[in-house]
């Protein structure tokens, strides 16, 4: 099956590939599809490289909906009116640095005016500056250069703080909120002020976080200062992310339906990404944490291993299978071999497929599972040679499995306990050193297990927390490093459950599988025009815009949730568990499964973008006339970057929520996730397949023998691509964890541990009075300053008269 692409798979070298336009979340040219021995063309690997974000141009274009197109000219007009009034008729690009700074200061002063209309005009002029003063530019590269220059200038004069204050005013604007609540239909016009402010803030955060080797030294200093300010409670005594989370919950509660949610979520995502760091930074933080705790280094760099993995063949479609059978039948008619000779040949031929086994493999929902690349005996033809990869793209590791196996301390304890019970007849609890009385092979096994023992940062943190709870006095006060992650957790802790519910509500409304319901929230407030389309062309354009809008929302929410889960897990495991548990309580697991219960190949290859309307292309080129045919054809691309990114993020979130949690793994089984996940294996992208296989692996033991028998190719792929845990009997149902389990007790115990952690570390008002120091010195107690209430101080004379002078005191009794 050919997926998108250019049909023939043009040979393109790396230099040419770099010169190809690749905007708006689009894939590169596919490698040449290979043919199998039956002449069928297999789908090519998707040339997708997972990253924190898409290319800068794509991330800029996704900020604007196509309905906002006319506002580019309006911003330019507002800027030019201000510019001509105070500066000569020169171009912005012809002025010197002093003149640039003076005009930026002038515009900043204009934001302080009381009149809303005047303030909006000035904000639009600043937005035009942040958009790169595009009227004076001749190409996209020039627009991006001036964007960067202007944004650092705006940051230098203090624009961001002024924008945060204005945004706070708009959030608290009760008149706008009550007006929007009463309106039957909300459109772009209801959120104009908010959209202009959020656009400028997003452009500033997105541009400043981009690394550019050509940056001046002072820009690099400004960038680090800005990163620290964004993550610290400088704005309204809370990090900027907490303020944006507040906007999300206010929108979901129905009090502010006019909030432009896509822009809020994009700014929230980029603020978290900038302040906490992306996946490369997470890896380096993890390495540092392990060093600090005295743990051995990681067995491999997971990012590099995943990037070097190749996708396995996707399942064959029904039409491909029928065609194969027809060709096989034609060959059999041509063959002039006696039947007994044929039987003898079948006995000798190691590559001859066993038809009965094939039938068993294909009987599960007509969905032939994943074919591993290295087992020719499981296919009915000899494997063709693999596609050669450029050496720069792949990491070379020795033949064999890509991941080093891991063993937990608990696994070693269980192995020793069962061995001692079997050979000696008694156990020694958690003692993993004593091997007296055990046979030599068991000694070898224990040695191998200990060689691959892996202690995670989370295990150390849980052990320390247990110590703090047991012996608070002897352990002393915990020193908490006030990093950006810690500050963010403290900021969102009081309302974290509401934030998670709000994000999942919006995710549900944006999911392509969701049906329009009267009670669901309206997420299209910042994409629908004031006047609805009247022609077929306008309707098609709006349809593309609405679908693209929903895809961008899914992309932002999936990235926000994954970043928070990963950063919280590194900062402290109970912060991660608190967030994860509230996601589970808010039905995150069935929601993600519902998202994947669609034609996932169609979602990943969707073409909901119009490249000629993408910023910055649309402001520096003459726009061609759009036709219904050109909109229907879409872009000639292999896949949609943002949709594949979203799918991988949602799979990673599902893995994070279910890993080592038997109760949540059972939710995967109960919600019949196996066929849904198997369909997702059709996407031929190694990273996505890896996370799908991980999710199938954790539930395999619960799915029964018949499922395993019918899905041996999937089992082989799991063995091939997913990390092995020695002694993990994942493929069979004779594990302790596969037996009936009190799942509710497991979640309750986890919740109690989380509450104890949050109470000990963050709830100082309810600290145990028994553990507080007591001052027994009379002088120091009497010498303490006591703040008396104002009304008491006013009536102090009356109090003395009533309580002291008018009451007789028997000093003898008092002395006795």
């Amino acid at each position: 099956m050919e997926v998108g692409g250019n049909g023939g798979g043009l040979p393109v070298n790396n230099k040419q590939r770099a010169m190809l336009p690749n905007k708006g979340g689009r894939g590169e040219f596919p490698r040449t599809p290979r043919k199998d021995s039956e002449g069928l063309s297999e789908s090519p690997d998707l040339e997708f490289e997972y990253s924190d974000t898409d290319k800068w141009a794509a991330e800029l274009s996704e900020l604007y909906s196509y309905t906002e197109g006319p506002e580019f000219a309006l911003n330019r007009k507002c800027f030019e009116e201000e510019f001509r009034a105070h500066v000569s008729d020169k171009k912005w690009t012809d002025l010197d640095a002093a003149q640039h700074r003076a005009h930026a200061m002038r515009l900043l002063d204009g934001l302080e005016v009381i009149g809303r209309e005047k303030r909006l005009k000035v904000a639009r002029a600043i937005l035009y500056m942040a958009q790169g003063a595009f009227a004076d530019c001749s190409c996209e590269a020039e627009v991006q250069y001036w964007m960067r220059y202007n944004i650092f200038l705006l940051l230098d004069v203090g624009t961001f703080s002024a924008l945060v204050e204005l945004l706070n005013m708009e959030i608290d604007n009760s008149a706008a909120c009550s007006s929007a609540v009463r309106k039957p239909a909300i459109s772009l016009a209801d959120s104009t002020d908010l959209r202009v402010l959020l656009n400028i803030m997003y452009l500033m955060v997105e541009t400043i976080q981009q690394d550019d080797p050509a940056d001046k030294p002072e820009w690099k200093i400004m960038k680090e200062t800005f990163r620290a300010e964004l993550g610290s409670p400088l704005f309204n005594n809370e990090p900027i992310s907490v303020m944006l989370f507040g906007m999300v919950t206010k929108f979901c509660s129905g009090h502010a339906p006019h909030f432009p949610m896509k822009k809020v979520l994009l700014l929230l995502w980029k603020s978290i990404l900038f302040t906490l760091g992306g996946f490369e930074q997470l890896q380096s933080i993890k390495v540092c944490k392990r060093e600090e705790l005295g743990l051995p280094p990681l067995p491999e760099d997971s990012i590099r291993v995943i990037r070097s993995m190749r996708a396995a063949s996707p399942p064959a479609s029904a039409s491909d299978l029928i065609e194969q059978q027809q060709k096989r039948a034609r060959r059999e008619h041509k063959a002039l071999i006696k039947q007994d000779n044929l039987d003898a040949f079948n006995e000798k031929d190691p590559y001859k497929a066993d038809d009965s086994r094939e039938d068993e493999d294909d009987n599960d929902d007509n969905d032939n599972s994943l074919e591993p690349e290295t087992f020719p005996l499981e296919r009915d033809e000899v494997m063709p040679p693999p596609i050669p990869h450029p050496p720069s793209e792949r990491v070379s590791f020795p033949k064999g499995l890509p991941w080093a196996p891991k063993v937990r301390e608990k696994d070693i304890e269980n192995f020793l306990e069962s061995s001692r019970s079997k050979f000696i007849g008694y156990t020694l609890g958690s003692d993993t050193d004593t091997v007296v009385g055990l046979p030599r092979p068991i000694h070898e096994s224990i040695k191998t297990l200990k060689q691959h023992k892996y202690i995670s940062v989370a295990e150390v943190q849980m052990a320390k927390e247990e110590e703090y709870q047991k012996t608070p006095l002897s352990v002393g006060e915990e020193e908490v490093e006030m990093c950006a992650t810690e500050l963010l957790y403290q900021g969102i802790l009081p309302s974290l459950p509401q934030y998670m519910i709000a994000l999942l509500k919006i995710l549900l409304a944006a999911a392509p599988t969701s049906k329009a319901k009267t009670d669901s929230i309206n997420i299209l407030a910042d994409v629908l025009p004031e006047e609805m389309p009247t022609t077929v062309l306008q309707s098609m354009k709006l349809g593309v815009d609405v679908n693209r809008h929903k895809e961008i929302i899914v992309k932002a929410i999936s990235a926000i949730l994954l970043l928070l889960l990963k950063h919280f897990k590194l900062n402290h495991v109970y912060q991660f568990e608190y967030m994860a548990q509230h996601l589970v309580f808010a039905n995150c697991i069935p929601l993600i499964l519902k998202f994947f219960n669609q034609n996932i190949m169609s979602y990943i290859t969707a073409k909901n973008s119009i490249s000629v309307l993408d910023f910055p292309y649309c402001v520096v080129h003459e726009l061609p006339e759009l036709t219904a045919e050109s909109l229907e054809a879409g872009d000639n691309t292999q896949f949609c970057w943002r949709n594949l990114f979203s799918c991988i993020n949602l799979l990673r979130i599902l893995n994070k929520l279910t890993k080592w949690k038997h109760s949540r793994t059972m939710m995967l089984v109960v919600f019949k996730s196996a066929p849904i996940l198997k369909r997702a294996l059709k996407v031929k992208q190694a990273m996505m397949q890896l996370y799908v296989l991980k999710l199938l692996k954790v539930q395999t033991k619960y799915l029964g023998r018949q499922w395993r028998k019918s899905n041996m190719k999937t089992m082989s792929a799991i063995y091939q691509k997913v990390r092995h845990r020695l002694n993990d009997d994942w493929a069979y149902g004779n594990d302790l964890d596969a037996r009936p389990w009190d799942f509710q007790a497991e979640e309750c115990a986890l919740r109690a541990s989380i509450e104890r952690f949050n109470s000990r570390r963050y709830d100082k008002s309810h600290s145990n009075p028994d553990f507080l120091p007591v001052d027994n010195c009379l002088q120091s107690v009497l010498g303490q300053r006591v703040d008396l209430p104002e009304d008491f101080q006013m009536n102090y004379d009356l109090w003395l008269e009533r309580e002291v002078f008018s009451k007789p005191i028997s000093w003898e009794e008092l002395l006795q």
Side-chain angles (χ1 to χ4, degrees):
M1 184 183 68
E2 185 76 49
V3 182
N6 59 345
L10 300 177
V12 183
N13 64 32
N14 286 337
K15 198 166 185 180
Q16 289 168 321
R17 193 187 299 279
M19 293 167 70
L20 289 170
N22 188 6
K23 300 167 43 180
R26 287 182 279 286
E28 298 176 13
F29 282 80
R31 297 192 184 102
T32 309
R34 68 185 185 203
K35 300 267 182 176
D36 64 18
S37 63
E38 301 288 346
L40 294 170
S41 180
E42 287 191 6
S43 56
D45 282 16
L46 299 184
E47 287 285 356
F48 171 85
E49 185 159 322
Y50 186 82
S51 178
D52 294 319
T53 61
D54 201 350
K55 291 183 171 59
W56 188 34
E59 295 295 340
L60 294 179
S61 70
E62 288 179 357
L63 173 64
Y64 310 102
S65 59
Y66 296 140
T67 322
E68 289 178 89
E71 294 191 14
F72 291 122
L74 184 56
N75 298 340
R76 176 186 170 183
K77 184 185 168 194
C78 291
F79 176 83
E80 285 177 350
E81 282 176 10
E82 289 283 331
F83 193 61
R84 300 284 173 262
H86 298 98
V87 189
S88 63
D89 290 340
K90 286 183 179 178
K91 286 183 176 181
W92 173 259
T93 52
D94 295 337
L95 301 183
D96 60 25
Q99 290 171 305
H100 284 150
R101 189 179 176 83
H103 190 64
M105 295 286 283
R106 200 177 294 117
L107 288 176
L108 188 58
D109 290 340
L111 284 179
E112 304 291 329
V113 297
I114 296 170
R116 177 179 286 274
E117 290 297 319
K118 171 70 177 163
R119 201 165 60 226
L120 179 60
K121 275 190 173 182
V122 174
R124 283 197 181 280
I126 291 173
L127 176 54
Y128 175 76
M129 273 181 71
Q131 287 169 343
F134 50 78
D136 301 336
C137 303
S138 57
C139 65
E140 292 170 62
E142 213 176 320
V143 173
Q144 291 181 1
Y145 168 80
W146 281 102
M147 273 185 73
R148 198 162 182 80
Y149 174 86
N150 292 346
I151 281 169
F152 273 103
L153 173 65
L154 290 170
L155 180 67
D156 194 27
V157 297
T159 310
F160 197 85
S161 304
L163 293 170
V164 173
E165 286 178 26
L166 285 175
L167 184 62
N168 262 319
M169 278 172 54
E170 289 301 326
I171 292 168
D172 298 333
N173 185 348
S174 54
C177 291
S178 55
S179 163
V181 168
R182 285 196 301 271
K183 275 195 176 182
I186 298 166
S187 68
L188 272 175
D190 297 298
S191 59
T192 306
D193 295 51
L194 278 165
R195 281 188 296 107
V196 171
L197 296 173
L198 289 164
N199 280 347
I200 306 169
M201 293 168 77
Y202 176 86
L203 289 174
M204 290 183 77
V205 173
E206 174 60 23
T207 305
I208 291 165
Q209 77 163 343
Q210 295 289 329
D211 287 320
D212 191 338
D215 280 352
K216 304 170 189 172
E218 57 265 31
W219 283 10
K220 289 177 180 173
I221 295 166
M222 283 164 65
K223 176 181 174 177
E224 291 310 313
T225 308
F226 184 53
R227 188 204 303 272
E229 286 175 358
L230 268 188
S232 55
L234 291 182
F235 305 109
N236 209 18
N237 292 327
E238 59 190 15
I240 190 84
S241 304
V242 179
M243 185 175 86
L244 295 169
F245 265 123
M247 288 184 78
V248 174
T249 46
K250 194 171 182 182
F251 171 80
C252 285
S253 65
H255 298 312
H258 65 300
F259 280 2
M261 214 19 62
K262 183 187 84 173
K263 295 180 193 296
V264 173
L265 290 167
L266 283 173
L267 179 56
L268 176 57
W269 168 32
K270 294 302 167 66
S271 301
I272 292 170
L273 180 62
F274 185 37
T275 52
L276 306 191
F279 300 114
E280 297 280 355
Q281 289 95 319
L282 270 163
Q283 191 70 12
S284 55
I285 293 168
K286 192 173 186 177
V287 169
C288 294
K289 281 257 181 190
R290 292 186 70 80
E291 278 181 18
E292 283 172 23
L293 296 170
L295 297 174
L298 292 164
E300 69 274 295
D301 183 342
S302 55
I303 296 172
R304 293 182 71 215
V305 173
I306 290 172
R307 281 182 183 162
S308 67
M309 289 176 87
R310 272 196 59 209
S313 300
S317 66
S319 59
D320 286 353
L321 291 171
I322 291 164
E323 196 176 337
Q324 275 187 342
Q325 285 169 0
Q326 288 170 347
K327 288 188 178 183
R328 196 179 296 140
R330 284 200 293 273
R331 274 207 313 274
E332 283 166 5
H333 283 305
K334 287 177 188 175
L336 299 171
I337 306 172
K338 288 183 181 178
Q339 185 61 42
D340 55 346
N341 290 347
L342 190 63
D343 292 340
F345 175 72
N346 282 349
E347 284 175 27
K348 294 172 190 174
D349 185 6
Y351 294 112
K352 179 68 181 169
D354 181 352
D355 287 332
S356 64
R357 186 183 52 73
E358 285 283 348
D359 292 341
E360 278 180 354
D361 253 16
D362 295 342
N363 68 0
D364 188 45
D365 300 334
N366 292 324
D367 188 11
N368 188 15
S369 184
L370 196 72
E371 284 194 33
E373 298 286 355
T374 56
F375 298 128
L377 289 171
E378 292 209 344
R379 303 184 55 152
D380 52 16
E381 76 274 2
V382 182
M383 290 290 294
I387 302 167
H389 296 294
S392 59
E393 286 185 17
R394 302 288 170 213
V395 179
S396 59
F397 42 70
K399 280 189 176 182
L401 301 170
W403 304 99
K406 286 181 179 177
V407 182
R408 293 181 299 168
E409 183 75 26
K410 184 185 170 187
D411 299 330
I412 301 174
E413 286 174 17
N414 290 343
F415 176 73
L416 268 168
E417 193 169 330
S418 62
S419 300
R420 286 171 183 147
S421 301
K422 182 177 178 182
F423 292 106
I424 307 172
Y426 64 88
T427 60
L428 295 174
S430 59
D431 181 349
T432 57
D433 297 320
T434 308
V435 289
V436 176
L438 296 175
R440 177 68 57 190
I442 299 291
H443 290 207
E444 294 294 325
S445 302
I446 293 164
K447 186 182 174 185
T448 306
L449 288 172
K450 287 187 174 179
Q451 277 174 355
H452 294 95
K453 187 167 86 167
Y454 176 79
I455 302 169
S456 66
V457 173
E459 287 174 90
V460 177
Q461 288 171 341
M462 288 169 93
K464 280 188 176 179
E465 181 58 28
E466 201 176 330
E467 208 175 328
Y468 279 120
Q469 297 291 350
K470 279 184 178 175
T471 55
L473 292 175
S474 57
V475 175
E477 195 73 26
E478 183 186 13
E479 288 182 21
V480 181
E481 184 191 351
M482 298 308 285
C483 59
T485 310
E486 183 64 35
L487 290 167
L488 178 60
Y489 182 76
Q490 290 183 14
I492 66 173
L493 177 62
S495 307
L496 189 138
Q498 292 91 304
Y499 296 154
M500 295 305 110
I501 291 166
L503 286 176
L504 293 182
K505 269 187 180 178
I506 299 170
L507 182 61
L508 177 64
T513 48
S514 294
K515 303 286 184 289
K517 293 179 184 171
T518 49
D519 59 340
S520 65
I521 48 178
N522 175 22
I523 54 169
L524 304 176
D526 53 333
V527 71
L528 296 177
E530 279 187 275
E531 295 176 5
M532 293 309 282
T534 51
T535 67
V536 174
L537 182 65
Q538 287 175 339
S539 297
M540 285 180 73
K541 183 183 161 190
L542 184 60
V544 169
D545 207 2
V546 166
N547 288 337
R548 173 178 176 266
H549 182 81
K550 288 181 174 181
E551 288 171 4
I552 294 165
I553 286 176
V554 172
K555 172 186 173 184
I557 291 177
S558 66
I560 288 166
L561 292 176
L562 181 60
L563 274 173
L564 288 178
L565 285 170
K566 286 190 78 67
H567 277 285
F568 286 158
K569 188 165 189 182
L570 263 183
N571 196 51
H572 199 290
V573 65
Y574 282 130
Q575 294 176 350
F576 158 80
E577 295 290 7
Y578 185 54
M579 179 179 165
Q581 196 163 58
H582 280 292
L583 284 173
V584 173
F585 292 162
N587 280 337
C588 185
I589 292 174
L591 171 54
I592 294 176
L593 292 175
K594 182 180 180 181
F595 179 90
F596 279 97
N597 195 17
Q598 58 170 314
N599 186 338
I600 211 73
M601 276 305 296
S602 299
Y603 185 70
I604 280 164
T605 55
K607 294 182 170 122
N608 292 313
S609 57
I610 308 166
S611 57
V612 292
L613 298 181
D614 284 340
F615 179 88
Y617 182 94
C618 64
V619 294
V620 289
H621 294 92
E622 284 293 321
L623 296 185
E625 190 179 346
L626 290 174
T627 62
E629 289 74 28
S630 66
L631 284 183
E632 203 167 344
D635 298 319
N636 185 25
T637 52
Q638 193 195 9
F639 61 90
C640 176
W641 196 96
R642 67 172 163 265
N643 289 358
L644 191 43
F645 176 76
S646 303
C647 288
I648 291 173
N649 285 346
L650 290 171
L651 287 168
R652 294 182 76 181
I653 291 164
L654 205 49
N655 267 292
K656 288 255 169 247
L657 297 182
T658 53
K659 190 175 181 182
W660 302 121
K661 304 285 189 303
H662 305 299
S663 55
R664 298 175 194 175
T665 304
M666 285 307 294
M667 285 177 80
L668 291 178
V669 180
V670 168
F671 291 122
K672 295 183 170 61
S673 65
I676 296 170
L677 293 168
K678 271 185 65 186
R679 282 199 294 276
L681 288 172
K682 289 181 180 177
V683 180
K684 204 170 177 199
Q685 205 283 323
M687 189 171 185
M688 183 161 167
Q689 286 184 348
L690 172 69
Y691 288 108
V692 171
L693 291 170
K694 279 186 170 188
L695 287 165
L696 285 169
K697 178 185 173 181
V698 294
Q699 54 180 314
T700 301
K701 66 179 80 161
Y702 304 106
L703 294 174
R705 184 178 297 177
Q706 186 56 45
W707 187 92
R708 294 195 290 271
K709 192 177 171 185
S710 304
N711 292 276
M712 283 312 294
K713 291 176 183 174
T714 306
M715 304 283 280
S716 300
I718 292 170
Y719 179 86
Q720 218 187 341
K721 294 186 179 298
V722 182
R723 188 193 299 279
H724 287 268
R725 296 268 173 179
L726 301 183
N727 273 19
D728 178 14
D729 216 357
W730 63 269
Y732 304 99
N734 50 7
D735 189 332
L736 282 172
D737 297 334
R739 293 174 192 169
W741 200 273
D742 188 355
F743 297 128
Q744 200 172 357
E746 187 185 20
E747 288 289 351
C748 289
L750 178 61
R751 190 173 188 175
S753 300
I754 294 164
E755 283 175 358
R756 283 196 299 270
F757 164 76
N758 283 332
S759 174
R760 180 190 66 78
R761 204 191 243 201
Y762 303 111
D763 193 1
K764 299 300 179 189
S765 58
H766 292 91
S767 52
N768 192 331
D770 295 340
F771 296 148
L772 294 176
V774 179
D775 189 353
N776 294 317
C777 177
L778 187 65
Q779 281 185 320
S780 66
V781 170
L782 292 173
Q784 283 178 1
R785 178 175 174 77
V786 179
D787 290 323
L788 301 170
E790 197 175 330
D791 58 338
F792 180 81
Q793 292 180 33
M794 297 280 288
N795 302 302
Y796 181 60
D797 296 339
L798 288 172
W799 181 85
L800 273 177
E801 184 63 41
R802 189 179 68 240
E803 298 293 332
V804 182
F805 301 142
S806 63
K807 289 194 174 180
I809 299 171
S810 175
W811 295 103
E812 288 81 7
E813 285 181 23
L814 189 66
L815 289 170
Q816 285 173 4

